[in-house]
Amino acid sequence: MRLHYPTNVKIAKIPCTGRVDNLLILKAFESGVDGVYLAGCLEGECHFLEGNLRARKRVEYVKSLLDEVGLGGARLEMYNMSSAQGQRFAEVAREMTEKIRALGPSPVRKKVKG
Amino acid sequence: MKTKSNIERILESGEFVVTSECGPPRGADPEVIRRKGALLKEVVDGVNVTDNQTSVVRMSSFASSIILKEMGFDPILQMVCRDRNRIAIQSDILGAAALGINNILCLSGDHQKFGDHPKAKNVFDMDSIQLINTVKMMRDNGRFVGGEEVNGRPRLFIGAAANPFADPFEIRAARLAKKVKAGVEFIQTQCIYNVKKFEQWMEMVRVRGLHEKCAILAGVTPFKSVGMARYMKNQVPGMDIPDEMIERLGGMPKEKQSEEGIKICLETIQRLREIPGVRGIHIMAIEWEEKVAEIAKAAGLLPRPQLT
Amino acid sequence: MIVGNRKSFEEILEMIKPYRRVLLLGCNECVTVCAVGGEREVGVLASELRLWSAKEGQELEIREHTIERQCDHEYIDQIRSFVDEYEVILSMACGAGVQYVAEQYRTRIVLPAINTTFLGVTLEQGVWSERCQGCGTCILDKTGGICPIARCAKSLLNGPCGGASNGKCEVDKETDCGWQLIVDRLKELGQLDQYEEIIPIKDWSTSRDGGPRKRVREDSRL
């Protein structure tokens, strides 16, 4: 389809969003990213039954942690889309990029000691 | 007679008993008690004095009872297990008896969550059944819970509450049997609206012969409005209010609802008096004490036997 | 197991504010099982603290370490070689663990990161429920295996109170009435006659009311 989406989105491939652990998301923020979003399968269509539903719950929880530490939960989102929805993928990438750009760079960018 | 209780005396004479209650104020003004007391003069045989009811801090039941005693009433000291351990409870029992209080109503007490101090630590060193037994042992055996001898036994007529409607229903009579076994002599029930269910409970009580071992005073509370009825049905734990009653009140124009509430109350009293084993009526007119005299009179419960 | 809740991030920050070098100490026992103070939770709290310090430009060094049990000094000994490098130990163990770590390192400040709540069981993944209050005199033989001390809001030994409605406690409509559970179980066991027995006033001296408790088993002492 040769769709274009913003180049600032870096993709981390995982077998299922159900694999995403709270700490994994936090570590991404520690590495200095400005925002994180999970692109899971459509609800009800998880190959592992409810991996995407679990991911959504974890996203909600980590949002609350990001609020606590002052980064703001808005830097993290969960989206659902099927592998056939290329248009939707590009659209979400643009949407999230705009949203994060509006929030500005992460205040912890490159400052976390490894 | 085991005590100088007016209620005990009237019950022994085989007559019907009428009691009501007086909620102490949230302050130190004794006039509030005197005003409420004046409304009950010559209307009742005994007045319950609530003990920080719904866990809201009020003038102590003990002090308020003394004020009513001075007015010529025979107060029924309510005592809950929520706020005192066995040391304080037994000490208050002795003090109350020393000051001429003749009746005690033994209660577990509402949970403090409902009151104005939900962060309080509760005690519940004993429960209502154990409290009944504590008073009984002090009075009849002259022994404290700890086993030591009581010098000067507290002559208190022992009462307790029963909720015929709380769950699980099947053990409700068994629970009353435990109270009787512990030594209770009179019972005041939760407000009765569902007379049919109360009759079932009384049937269970009579099958066990409990009505012969303790006097059952049936509780009633008049509705002021349909709003109050709905609130009690939905918000007050352990209440059983039939939908027909709410519809009946709701069907009346607002200004007629309190009148209808009194009417329902009078009808309930008439039905309760016909139930075998019911020995008296306990009228709880919540923040509506001025209506007790009217209800007692209209129900044909007046005049009351003279206090001796 | 012993169950707890993590303190709020704000409360934790308030405690560690004066310090720059923090040893965040997890425990592999109960608090791991109830997902509040094991290695994973240590990781999450450490990450939160690092994000916060980076955002605030606040210097804060966090070392994550989880030991087998904070209630056994043999395990607490394992951090002896590096504990002095940190100003403060932020313990994610239960109250017993926090105190025992403090006893072993008398010159270190030890702070609690969790509020210890109860002795309970796992109802399902992510849900824990209280079962025991450690009163020191078990009466489960008389109450159908359900504890009225722990499961009745008023700890009534001869319940239920008049507030029980539809099998639920007056304190919370989501909570089962402990005495309803007892009656149901006694009935299932064909032991409802036990309900008729009055349980006498309890001896609370075996509970915390008798003062701090200790157990000694002579034959297993060294």
Side-chain angles (χ1 to χ4, degrees), chain A residues 21 26-27 30 68 70 108, chain C residues 40 43 47-48 50-51 55:
Chain A
D21 178 70
L26 289 170
K27 289 283 183 194
E30 282 194 53
E68 278 185 335
V108 306
Chain C
R40 287 165 70 96
S47 179
E48 275 192 273
R50 282 192 295 266
L51 287 168
K55 174 180 172 284

Side-chain angles (χ1 to χ4, degrees), chain B residues 21 36 53 56 131 138 141 173 176 203 222 228-229 259 265 303:
Chain B
E21 67 176 31
K36 287 188 175 187
Q53 77 267 32
V56 169
L131 172 55
M138 288 172 77
N141 297 34
L176 180 63
E203 176 65 35
M228 172 184 173
E259 201 179 297
C265 184

Side-chain angles (χ1 to χ4, degrees), chain B residues 54-198:
Chain B
T54 63
S55 311
V56 169
V57 175
R58 290 167 189 276
M59 186 189 291
S60 77
S61 171
F62 192 161
S64 309
S65 291
I66 297 302
I67 297 171
L68 289 166
K69 175 86 189 170
E70 285 167 356
M71 293 177 74
F73 283 101
D74 190 31
I76 300 164
L77 175 77
Q78 293 198 182
M79 189 174 285
V80 301
C81 300
R82 178 193 59 229
D83 310 322
R84 304 169 182 82
N85 69 6
R86 64 191 74 180
I87 299 170
I89 282 177
Q90 293 180 97
S91 162
D92 278 354
I93 288 169
L94 296 178
L99 289 174
I101 290 170
N102 302 319
N103 313 285
I104 184 168
L105 194 81
C106 306
L107 306 166
S108 298
D110 293 317
H111 194 270
Q112 73 277 7
K113 185 185 171 173
F114 301 105
D116 57 354
H117 291 75
K119 294 180 180 176
K121 186 178 195 304
N122 61 33
V123 183
F124 296 116
D125 182 18
M126 58 174 87
D127 61 27
S128 57
I129 289 176
Q130 294 160 346
L131 172 55
I132 291 166
N133 199 240
T134 297
V135 185
K136 167 104 174 148
M137 294 299 282
M138 288 172 77
R139 186 189 70 187
D140 297 349
N141 297 34
R143 294 283 163 191
F144 288 112
V145 171
E148 293 293 310
E149 196 182 337
V150 179
N151 294 312
R153 300 180 183 191
R155 303 280 170 202
L156 293 168
F157 192 47
I158 307 168
N163 184 354
F165 311 105
D167 292 319
F169 187 66
E170 58 201 305
I171 54 99
R172 279 290 136 192
R175 187 162 156 76
L176 180 63
K178 283 171 94 166
K179 289 190 176 179
V180 168
K181 205 198 271 183
V184 82
E185 289 153 329
F186 72 99
I187 288 286
Q188 291 170 324
T189 75
Q190 174 69 283
C191 333
I192 299 157
Y193 298 104
N194 189 342
V195 180
K196 210 169 231 160
K197 197 161 177 193
F198 178 71

Side-chain angles (χ1 to χ4, degrees), chain C residues 69-120:
Chain C
R69 275 202 290 281
Q70 290 190 28
C71 53
D72 262 329
H73 58 78
E74 286 92 342
Y75 296 109
I76 301 174
D77 260 351
Q78 295 170 351
I79 61 170
R80 197 168 293 281
S81 63
F82 57 84
V83 74
D84 285 339
E85 294 165 32
Y86 300 90
E87 296 165 281
V88 63
I89 302 169
L90 180 56
S91 165
M92 296 196 82
C94 68
V98 176
Q99 292 182 62
Y100 212 27
V101 170
E103 279 174 49
Q104 306 308 314
Y105 302 108
R106 303 192 64 87
T107 58
R108 290 301 94 188
I109 288 157
V110 184
L111 302 171
I114 77 169
N115 293 319
T116 307
T117 48
F118 56 78
L119 299 183

Side-chain angles (χ1 to χ4, degrees), chain C residues 176-188:
Chain C
D176 290 325
C177 163
W179 272 97
Q180 174 85 49
L181 298 175
I182 292 170
V183 168
D184 289 349
R185 186 91 203 285
L186 287 175
K187 202 158 64 176
E188 282 167 28

